[in-house]
Amino acid sequence: MNRRRFITMTTLAATGLAVSRGHGQEPGLAPDRVVVPRKKLAREKVDDHLDMAIEYLMGQQRADGSVGEMDYARVAMTSLTVMALLSVGHLPTDKSPQGLAIRRALTFILKPENQERDGYLGKRDNSRMYGHGITTLLLAEIAGMGVDDDYDKLVADRLQKAIDLILKAQAVHKEAPHKGGWRYEPTSDNSDLSISVWQVMALRSAKNAGIEVPQGTIELAVTYLRGTYKSRRDAQGKPVDMRSGFTYVPQSQVTYASATAGMLAMQVCGQYDAPEVKGATEWLLTHRAQLRWGEQWFFYGTYYYAQAMHQVGGTVAEDARREVARVLVPQQRKDGSWPATEGGPIYATALAVLSLSVKYHYLPIYQR
């Protein structure tokens, strides 16, 4: 199979559209554009490492289709694994071992017992709103993929319920500066950046798939995200420090992982030219040494770094792509996995694949 063929990802079948960059606009998801097939990429050395990683992930699949070292976060880990396979060009409709692995994994994810009646996808495996955001994102990315009509209807139903839960969780009364974000449970009355970014990514992808996302939801999320950018504000409310970044919770320290997560979350909300995004870009360029093996939350931060810098585009995106490969590739083990600095080898390997495969643009969430 030539994994570099352009994938229109019939995730977009309902509209035939994908989200593009929206410069200088009000808070909201970026306007739609028609997807244009991209030129096939020449094979690079990193592609061999991606092949090895996919083989490793497929080898971890259990008889029931799930992927994970333990019961904890099994639905979320299986969802990350499917996204890793999709990100390098494999589809559930492929008549290949990879296509079969995806279909088996989706069968597990879509089991009725894995979603609560209110739409919650993070309770059964105890992955909470982290897992809910991850699995909702996966459902949005594969919505309308056309395995068959019954499958598409099932995915659409599960996705709508999951999005409804995200909207309901944001609407829980929260005091400033937590208003507009999300945290561990749907009923949480506070917020943090690491969970909020998964929810806005899921909302962005769902919008791509034709799900209605209220404008007010995005405006509230942007207000929350701006509150996590560490800087004094001038009389107009603009940040004074244009070389700073986002924080896990307001007024905590800027870290590699929090700077990248906040930057991507703002971009996903259509705020590509926001001063906070420009400031975080400058901070990351200045603190390039933060992209190093062993950094706290390395895989989590690198996944967001790869996407956020890709959204910036130009030489910044190209330099970031090379840096991600430079740091990740030497750490890969002979069995195709990456040793975990957090979350276990399946988690680490799936995020490594997602970080290295941004260049393909196969997942709609990667597109600019």
Side-chain angles (χ1 to χ4, degrees):
M1 169 189 173
N2 179 3
R3 73 182 183 193
R4 283 169 191 76
R5 71 184 187 277
F6 175 73
I7 299 178
T8 58
M9 292 289 289
T10 49
T11 299
L12 311 177
T15 61
L17 301 172
V19 170
S20 67
R21 300 184 66 172
H23 295 282
Q25 63 188 61
E26 293 300 314
L29 300 180
D32 292 340
R33 65 165 169 79
V34 176
V35 174
V36 178
R38 298 178 184 272
K39 186 178 180 180
K40 294 179 181 178
L41 299 176
R43 189 170 180 84
E44 299 176 343
K45 181 180 179 181
V46 71
D47 298 322
D48 295 332
H49 294 273
L50 287 168
D51 289 340
M52 291 170 56
I54 294 300
E55 287 298 316
Y56 168 79
L57 290 171
M58 289 172 59
Q60 305 309 302
Q61 191 168 42
R62 297 188 173 196
D64 65 355
S66 67
V67 182
E69 297 101 344
M70 58 188 74
D71 290 337
Y72 172 73
R74 185 175 299 282
V75 177
M77 290 302 101
T78 305
S79 297
L80 279 177
T81 298
V82 172
M83 282 198 290
L85 269 71
L86 294 173
S87 76
V88 296
H90 301 298
L91 292 170
T93 51
D94 291 342
K95 298 185 187 322
S96 65
Q98 294 85 357
L100 176 60
I102 293 172
R103 292 193 297 275
R104 292 176 59 217
L106 292 174
T107 296
F108 169 76
I109 291 166
L110 292 168
K111 284 183 175 181
E113 58 266 31
N114 285 331
Q115 187 173 40
E116 302 300 306
R117 293 182 64 182
D118 63 358
Y120 194 17
L121 290 160
K123 183 174 182 179
R124 183 176 178 84
D125 70 348
N126 201 33
S127 60
R128 301 190 283 181
M129 286 300 286
Y130 277 115
H132 181 84
I134 290 168
T135 302
T136 304
L137 173 59
L138 180 273
L139 292 176
E141 294 291 281
I142 55 97
M145 198 167 281
V147 174
D148 59 52
D149 290 343
D150 290 340
Y151 165 88
D152 287 347
K153 289 173 63 177
L154 178 60
V155 170
D157 178 68
R158 299 288 169 79
L159 174 59
Q160 184 65 67
K161 290 180 179 177
I163 291 296
D164 288 345
L165 183 100
I166 292 175
L167 300 178
K168 184 178 179 181
Q170 189 197 43
V172 171
H173 177 72
K174 302 177 178 74
E175 299 289 345
H178 297 283
K179 187 176 181 180
W182 294 262
R183 210 169 195 192
Y184 295 117
E185 295 292 347
T187 55
S188 294
D189 61 1
N190 55 5
S191 305
D192 75 51
L193 182 60
S194 65
I195 292 179
S196 295
V197 64
W198 284 113
Q199 314 314 311
V200 296
M201 288 179 71
L203 290 171
R204 159 78 179 263
S205 184
K207 195 264 185 181
N208 288 0
I211 300 293
E212 181 180 356
V213 177
Q215 179 69 14
T217 296
I218 305 307
E219 291 172 351
L220 280 173
V222 169
T223 298
Y224 166 72
L225 293 168
R226 282 181 170 149
T228 67
Y229 184 83
K230 192 165 188 177
S231 172
R232 291 185 299 105
R233 300 270 168 172
D234 64 19
Q236 287 72 45
K238 295 181 179 180
V240 173
D241 190 346
M242 290 305 296
R243 187 175 290 171
S244 186
F246 299 86
T247 58
Y248 174 65
V249 292
Q251 302 309 311
S252 58
Q253 293 300 309
V254 179
T255 67
Y256 170 60
S258 66
T260 57
M263 182 176 165
L264 179 64
M266 287 286 286
Q267 292 167 324
V268 162
C269 288
Q271 300 301 293
Y272 299 100
D273 292 328
E276 295 87 355
V277 171
K278 293 180 179 179
T281 302
E282 288 301 316
W283 189 90
L284 286 165
L285 292 174
T286 303
H287 294 76
R288 177 167 292 192
Q290 296 284 330
L291 177 56
R292 59 174 179 258
W293 183 255
E295 182 70 21
Q296 187 178 30
W297 309 113
F298 169 78
F299 286 99
Y300 174 87
T302 301
Y303 169 58
Y304 291 130
Y305 175 85
Q307 287 196 67
M309 292 309 214
H310 169 70
Q311 294 295 333
V312 173
T315 57
V316 169
E318 286 301 308
D319 288 347
R321 185 168 73 87
R322 286 191 290 268
E323 280 296 293
V324 168
R326 180 188 64 79
V327 175
L328 276 175
V329 167
Q331 302 298 332
Q332 189 177 28
R333 297 188 291 200
K334 291 182 179 180
D335 66 355
S337 70
W338 270 266
T341 59
E342 76 259 20
I346 291 174
Y347 174 84
T349 303
L351 288 183
V353 171
L354 289 165
S355 301
L356 291 167
S357 62
V358 171
K359 63 175 184 172
Y360 298 138
H361 321 299
Y362 286 151
L363 288 175
I365 199 66
Y366 285 169
Q367 296 175 0
R368 290 203 295 266

